[in-house]
Amino acid sequence: MDGDVAVGVKRGSDELNMYGSSPNSMTANGSDSKKQRLDESPPSRVLHIRKLPNEVSETEVIALGLPFGKVTNILMLKGKNQAFLELGTEEAAITMVNYYTAVTPQVRNTPVFIQYSNHKELKTDSALNQRAQAVLQAVSAVQDGSSPSSDPGVLDLAPPPSPVLRIIIDNMFYPVTLDVLQQIFSKFGTVMKIITFTKNNQFQALLQFSDPVNAQQAKLSLDGQNIYNSCCTLRIDFSKLVNLNVKYNNDKSRDYTRPDLPTGDGESASKDHSLLGAISPLSAAAAAAAAAGRVALSGSGVSGVLLASNLNEEMVTPQSLFTLFGVYGDVQRVKILYNKKDSALIQLSDGNQAQLAMSHLNGQKVFGKVMRVTLSKHQTVALPREGLDDQLLTKDFSGSPLHRFKKPGSKNFQNIFPPSATLHLSNIRDGVGEDDLRLLFSNSGGTVKAFKFFQDRKMSLIQMSSVEEAIQALMDLHNYDMGGNHHLKVSFSKSTI
C-alpha cells in the first residue's frame, strides 16, 4: 500500500476501504503516521477526504477548502463517506494539508481525514456529478464576486447584501473573545471592524469585512460550525447595517483601520457584566486553534487553579467561594491566603472549568469589592497538615454532594450563564409561596424587584435590584434547607422577568 489513491470510480471498493487502516494515512490528530505519510505522498492539488459523516453536502466539503484558495472540482463518493477535492493550485493544497495537520479538520463535529491523492487533477463524469458541479459553480461565483448562473435551487447565493455580518454564539460554554473572532473570520478576507455585545443574555457580534464577497464566503463556510468541540456554535446572518461606527478600541470593540482610537473608560470592562467582562485573552495556542473555526479548546496545559484577589476579607469564607465558583465548575479545594486574606486559591476539576469561571467572574462585584480572577501558577491547592489550620482558611470540597457537573451530560452544562440580576430557583418545596421566597431573598441584604413561578411551582425566577445583590443571594441561599429534605438550588438565569 503506497498511500496514494485513485478516483473512486476506477478502483475497487476493497482497495478504497483499506485506507481506514493504511499505516501512512494522515490521521489529522497529531500521530506519528502523519509525518511518515507526508514524506511518501507527493503533494497534489487533488485531496482525498475520508470518514465524512453521512448526508454531508457538497457545500460542506467545499467549505473545508475555501479559506485556502479556489476550489476547482469535487467528486463525492457518498456510499463510502469519501470525497475528492481539487484546488486551483498545488500551493493552496499544500497550505490546506499543512494547516489541517496542526488542526483537526471537522465536518458536523466529526473529525475527517485529509491526504494528497496521487491524481494531479480530477476528471469527473459530468452527468453523474452534475449537482456537485452546480454547487461548485455557485460557490466560485461568490468567490469571483459575480452572480451564479447555475440553477438557483441548488444554492441560494444572491449578491451579498452587506460587508457586515451579525454573529450569534449558541451554547457558549467557553469564552469567545474578540481576538478569537478576528482570527477565525480573517481567513476569508480583511476584517475591518468588530463590535461585541450581549443581547437577551446571548453573546453577539457585528463584524465588518472590507468586501461583501468576503462576508458571503465566511457566512457560507462558518454558519452552523462550532468554534470548540460541540459548543460555541456560530449563527451568522447579514446585518442590515453596511458600515459599523466604532468609538473605542478595547476588548468589546475594535476598528483595525484606526489603531489611534481611545480605549474608552478604563473600568468599562468590569462594569459591564457581559460575557467578556475583563477576560484575559485565551492563550495564544488556544486562540490559534480556535482560528480553525472548529477546534476543541482543551483545558490541558491550563491549570485548574484560580487566584481570586481584592476580596472583602471581613466577609469572604471558603464556603462562599465554593458556592460562587461552583456555578461554573466543581470546586475541589479553597484556600484563603494566611498572609493576604483578601486573596484565595480555588481549585476546580480541570482547566476548562477554571477558564469558564475566570471569564464569568473576573470583574464582578462581590461583598462590595470588584473581584479579580486570574489563572494561578499552582497546579493544585495543598491542604495544611492536621491541626495547623486553626483559622479554617482551607477547605477540601472534593467529596461534596453539591458539585453541579459530576454527571456527564447533566442538564447543568446547558444552563451556565454569566452572573445576572435574575436568579433561577429550583427544588422549591410544596406549599412555599411567593411571599416566603421574597422574604427569604430580601433577608440576604437585597431588594427583590420581581418574581415569577413556573407552572409546576417547583421552579421560579426572582429578580434582584443588581447583579451584586444576586451574587450575594446565590452565595447565601444556594442549598438552603427548606425543610423536608428540600434544598433550594440557585443559579444565574438568562431570562428577565
Side-chain angles (χ1 to χ4, degrees), residues 425-443:
L425 314 183
S426 59
N427 208 27
I428 298 169
R429 187 183 172 186
D430 287 347
V432 171
E434 176 175 339
D435 290 348
D436 302 315
L437 289 165
R438 278 178 174 267
L439 183 63
L440 182 64
F441 277 76
S442 51
N443 282 346

PDB file of all heavy atoms in Angstrom, residues 425-443:
ATOM      1  N   LEU A 425     -34.524  29.599  40.512  1.00  0.00           N
ATOM      2  CA  LEU A 425     -34.629  28.768  41.718  1.00  0.00           C
ATOM      3  C   LEU A 425     -35.297  27.459  41.344  1.00  0.00           C
ATOM      4  O   LEU A 425     -36.258  27.429  40.578  1.00  0.00           O
ATOM      5  CB  LEU A 425     -35.495  29.465  42.787  1.00  0.00           C
ATOM      6  CG  LEU A 425     -35.228  30.950  43.063  1.00  0.00           C
ATOM      7  CD1 LEU A 425     -36.116  31.446  44.201  1.00  0.00           C
ATOM      8  CD2 LEU A 425     -33.769  31.178  43.392  1.00  0.00           C
ATOM      9  N   SER A 426     -34.791  26.360  41.890  1.00  0.00           N
ATOM     10  CA  SER A 426     -35.454  25.073  41.642  1.00  0.00           C
ATOM     11  C   SER A 426     -35.464  24.246  42.928  1.00  0.00           C
ATOM     12  O   SER A 426     -34.839  24.615  43.928  1.00  0.00           O
ATOM     13  CB  SER A 426     -34.751  24.307  40.515  1.00  0.00           C
ATOM     14  OG  SER A 426     -33.404  24.082  40.842  1.00  0.00           O
ATOM     15  N   ASN A 427     -36.201  23.137  42.882  1.00  0.00           N
ATOM     16  CA  ASN A 427     -36.364  22.266  44.054  1.00  0.00           C
ATOM     17  C   ASN A 427     -37.105  23.003  45.187  1.00  0.00           C
ATOM     18  O   ASN A 427     -36.784  22.840  46.368  1.00  0.00           O
ATOM     19  CB  ASN A 427     -34.994  21.761  44.543  1.00  0.00           C
ATOM     20  CG  ASN A 427     -35.120  20.414  45.241  1.00  0.00           C
ATOM     21  OD1 ASN A 427     -36.044  19.648  44.938  1.00  0.00           O
ATOM     22  ND2 ASN A 427     -34.237  20.119  46.163  1.00  0.00           N
ATOM     23  N   ILE A 428     -38.090  23.820  44.793  1.00  0.00           N
ATOM     24  CA  ILE A 428     -38.874  24.566  45.793  1.00  0.00           C
ATOM     25  C   ILE A 428     -39.882  23.599  46.429  1.00  0.00           C
ATOM     26  O   ILE A 428     -40.561  22.844  45.735  1.00  0.00           O
ATOM     27  CB  ILE A 428     -39.612  25.752  45.130  1.00  0.00           C
ATOM     28  CG1 ILE A 428     -38.578  26.731  44.540  1.00  0.00           C
ATOM     29  CG2 ILE A 428     -40.517  26.462  46.133  1.00  0.00           C
ATOM     30  CD1 ILE A 428     -39.179  27.792  43.634  1.00  0.00           C
ATOM     31  N   ARG A 429     -39.961  23.648  47.723  1.00  0.00           N
ATOM     32  CA  ARG A 429     -40.820  22.703  48.448  1.00  0.00           C
ATOM     33  C   ARG A 429     -42.308  23.062  48.262  1.00  0.00           C
ATOM     34  O   ARG A 429     -42.675  24.250  48.187  1.00  0.00           O
ATOM     35  CB  ARG A 429     -40.453  22.778  49.929  1.00  0.00           C
ATOM     36  CG  ARG A 429     -41.139  21.741  50.764  1.00  0.00           C
ATOM     37  CD  ARG A 429     -40.803  21.917  52.236  1.00  0.00           C
ATOM     38  NE  ARG A 429     -41.622  21.019  53.040  1.00  0.00           N
ATOM     39  CZ  ARG A 429     -41.619  21.032  54.351  1.00  0.00           C
ATOM     40  NH1 ARG A 429     -40.856  21.874  55.008  1.00  0.00           N
ATOM     41  NH2 ARG A 429     -42.386  20.187  55.026  1.00  0.00           N
ATOM     42  N   ASP A 430     -43.145  22.045  48.196  1.00  0.00           N
ATOM     43  CA  ASP A 430     -44.604  22.276  48.109  1.00  0.00           C
ATOM     44  C   ASP A 430     -45.053  23.179  49.249  1.00  0.00           C
ATOM     45  O   ASP A 430     -44.598  23.032  50.389  1.00  0.00           O
ATOM     46  CB  ASP A 430     -45.374  20.947  48.243  1.00  0.00           C
ATOM     47  CG  ASP A 430     -45.241  20.120  46.986  1.00  0.00           C
ATOM     48  OD1 ASP A 430     -44.779  20.680  45.981  1.00  0.00           O
ATOM     49  OD2 ASP A 430     -45.584  18.922  47.011  1.00  0.00           O
ATOM     50  N   GLY A 431     -45.968  24.081  48.940  1.00  0.00           N
ATOM     51  CA  GLY A 431     -46.527  24.926  49.994  1.00  0.00           C
ATOM     52  C   GLY A 431     -45.734  26.192  50.231  1.00  0.00           C
ATOM     53  O   GLY A 431     -46.175  27.079  50.956  1.00  0.00           O
ATOM     54  N   VAL A 432     -44.521  26.285  49.649  1.00  0.00           N
ATOM     55  CA  VAL A 432     -43.741  27.517  49.809  1.00  0.00           C
ATOM     56  C   VAL A 432     -44.208  28.497  48.741  1.00  0.00           C
ATOM     57  O   VAL A 432     -44.222  28.189  47.547  1.00  0.00           O
ATOM     58  CB  VAL A 432     -42.226  27.230  49.664  1.00  0.00           C
ATOM     59  CG1 VAL A 432     -41.438  28.531  49.613  1.00  0.00           C
ATOM     60  CG2 VAL A 432     -41.748  26.360  50.811  1.00  0.00           C
ATOM     61  N   GLY A 433     -44.636  29.685  49.162  1.00  0.00           N
ATOM     62  CA  GLY A 433     -45.230  30.639  48.227  1.00  0.00           C
ATOM     63  C   GLY A 433     -44.297  31.770  47.875  1.00  0.00           C
ATOM     64  O   GLY A 433     -43.173  31.872  48.373  1.00  0.00           O
ATOM     65  N   GLU A 434     -44.816  32.663  47.018  1.00  0.00           N
ATOM     66  CA  GLU A 434     -44.025  33.806  46.546  1.00  0.00           C
ATOM     67  C   GLU A 434     -43.581  34.683  47.715  1.00  0.00           C
ATOM     68  O   GLU A 434     -42.423  35.104  47.783  1.00  0.00           O
ATOM     69  CB  GLU A 434     -44.869  34.635  45.554  1.00  0.00           C
ATOM     70  CG  GLU A 434     -44.149  35.885  45.096  1.00  0.00           C
ATOM     71  CD  GLU A 434     -44.923  36.653  44.024  1.00  0.00           C
ATOM     72  OE1 GLU A 434     -45.797  36.071  43.347  1.00  0.00           O
ATOM     73  OE2 GLU A 434     -44.630  37.851  43.878  1.00  0.00           O
ATOM     74  N   ASP A 435     -44.468  34.926  48.679  1.00  0.00           N
ATOM     75  CA  ASP A 435     -44.112  35.805  49.803  1.00  0.00           C
ATOM     76  C   ASP A 435     -42.957  35.233  50.619  1.00  0.00           C
ATOM     77  O   ASP A 435     -42.059  35.960  51.055  1.00  0.00           O
ATOM     78  CB  ASP A 435     -45.328  36.030  50.717  1.00  0.00           C
ATOM     79  CG  ASP A 435     -46.384  36.889  50.031  1.00  0.00           C
ATOM     80  OD1 ASP A 435     -46.047  37.472  48.971  1.00  0.00           O
ATOM     81  OD2 ASP A 435     -47.523  36.949  50.521  1.00  0.00           O
ATOM     82  N   ASP A 436     -43.001  33.888  50.830  1.00  0.00           N
ATOM     83  CA  ASP A 436     -41.917  33.247  51.600  1.00  0.00           C
ATOM     84  C   ASP A 436     -40.576  33.469  50.910  1.00  0.00           C
ATOM     85  O   ASP A 436     -39.568  33.795  51.551  1.00  0.00           O
ATOM     86  CB  ASP A 436     -42.167  31.726  51.699  1.00  0.00           C
ATOM     87  CG  ASP A 436     -43.511  31.416  52.339  1.00  0.00           C
ATOM     88  OD1 ASP A 436     -43.819  32.048  53.360  1.00  0.00           O
ATOM     89  OD2 ASP A 436     -44.255  30.559  51.813  1.00  0.00           O
ATOM     90  N   LEU A 437     -40.564  33.271  49.586  1.00  0.00           N
ATOM     91  CA  LEU A 437     -39.301  33.369  48.857  1.00  0.00           C
ATOM     92  C   LEU A 437     -38.839  34.829  48.766  1.00  0.00           C
ATOM     93  O   LEU A 437     -37.651  35.123  48.891  1.00  0.00           O
ATOM     94  CB  LEU A 437     -39.447  32.748  47.459  1.00  0.00           C
ATOM     95  CG  LEU A 437     -39.580  31.211  47.517  1.00  0.00           C
ATOM     96  CD1 LEU A 437     -40.092  30.647  46.192  1.00  0.00           C
ATOM     97  CD2 LEU A 437     -38.239  30.555  47.864  1.00  0.00           C
ATOM     98  N   ARG A 438     -39.789  35.752  48.574  1.00  0.00           N
ATOM     99  CA  ARG A 438     -39.416  37.171  48.548  1.00  0.00           C
ATOM    100  C   ARG A 438     -38.770  37.582  49.877  1.00  0.00           C
ATOM    101  O   ARG A 438     -37.763  38.297  49.905  1.00  0.00           O
ATOM    102  CB  ARG A 438     -40.654  38.047  48.294  1.00  0.00           C
ATOM    103  CG  ARG A 438     -41.040  38.163  46.820  1.00  0.00           C
ATOM    104  CD  ARG A 438     -42.301  39.011  46.665  1.00  0.00           C
ATOM    105  NE  ARG A 438     -42.641  39.269  45.282  1.00  0.00           N
ATOM    106  CZ  ARG A 438     -42.262  40.348  44.588  1.00  0.00           C
ATOM    107  NH1 ARG A 438     -41.525  41.278  45.164  1.00  0.00           N
ATOM    108  NH2 ARG A 438     -42.626  40.513  43.327  1.00  0.00           N
ATOM    109  N   LEU A 439     -39.349  37.095  50.975  1.00  0.00           N
ATOM    110  CA  LEU A 439     -38.825  37.428  52.302  1.00  0.00           C
ATOM    111  C   LEU A 439     -37.424  36.842  52.483  1.00  0.00           C
ATOM    112  O   LEU A 439     -36.484  37.523  52.921  1.00  0.00           O
ATOM    113  CB  LEU A 439     -39.771  36.888  53.388  1.00  0.00           C
ATOM    114  CG  LEU A 439     -39.387  37.227  54.824  1.00  0.00           C
ATOM    115  CD1 LEU A 439     -39.427  38.740  55.058  1.00  0.00           C
ATOM    116  CD2 LEU A 439     -40.326  36.529  55.807  1.00  0.00           C
ATOM    117  N   LEU A 440     -37.290  35.560  52.108  1.00  0.00           N
ATOM    118  CA  LEU A 440     -36.007  34.877  52.252  1.00  0.00           C
ATOM    119  C   LEU A 440     -34.912  35.643  51.507  1.00  0.00           C
ATOM    120  O   LEU A 440     -33.819  35.890  52.032  1.00  0.00           O
ATOM    121  CB  LEU A 440     -36.141  33.451  51.687  1.00  0.00           C
ATOM    122  CG  LEU A 440     -34.928  32.534  51.786  1.00  0.00           C
ATOM    123  CD1 LEU A 440     -34.593  32.260  53.245  1.00  0.00           C
ATOM    124  CD2 LEU A 440     -35.186  31.207  51.062  1.00  0.00           C
ATOM    125  N   PHE A 441     -35.204  36.063  50.254  1.00  0.00           N
ATOM    126  CA  PHE A 441     -34.176  36.703  49.439  1.00  0.00           C
ATOM    127  C   PHE A 441     -33.934  38.158  49.850  1.00  0.00           C
ATOM    128  O   PHE A 441     -32.837  38.666  49.713  1.00  0.00           O
ATOM    129  CB  PHE A 441     -34.518  36.572  47.943  1.00  0.00           C
ATOM    130  CG  PHE A 441     -34.071  35.241  47.394  1.00  0.00           C
ATOM    131  CD1 PHE A 441     -34.774  34.076  47.671  1.00  0.00           C
ATOM    132  CD2 PHE A 441     -32.907  35.129  46.646  1.00  0.00           C
ATOM    133  CE1 PHE A 441     -34.349  32.841  47.218  1.00  0.00           C
ATOM    134  CE2 PHE A 441     -32.463  33.902  46.175  1.00  0.00           C
ATOM    135  CZ  PHE A 441     -33.180  32.749  46.458  1.00  0.00           C
ATOM    136  N   SER A 442     -34.960  38.834  50.383  1.00  0.00           N
ATOM    137  CA  SER A 442     -34.686  40.207  50.821  1.00  0.00           C
ATOM    138  C   SER A 442     -33.884  40.185  52.123  1.00  0.00           C
ATOM    139  O   SER A 442     -33.125  41.106  52.418  1.00  0.00           O
ATOM    140  CB  SER A 442     -35.974  41.016  50.962  1.00  0.00           C
ATOM    141  OG  SER A 442     -36.898  40.323  51.746  1.00  0.00           O
ATOM    142  N   ASN A 443     -33.970  39.089  52.878  1.00  0.00           N
ATOM    143  CA  ASN A 443     -33.160  38.971  54.098  1.00  0.00           C
ATOM    144  C   ASN A 443     -31.678  38.814  53.800  1.00  0.00           C
ATOM    145  O   ASN A 443     -30.842  38.989  54.678  1.00  0.00           O
ATOM    146  CB  ASN A 443     -33.627  37.783  54.944  1.00  0.00           C
ATOM    147  CG  ASN A 443     -34.891  38.138  55.712  1.00  0.00           C
ATOM    148  OD1 ASN A 443     -35.236  39.310  55.805  1.00  0.00           O
ATOM    149  ND2 ASN A 443     -35.578  37.137  56.235  1.00  0.00           N
TER     150      ASN A 443
END
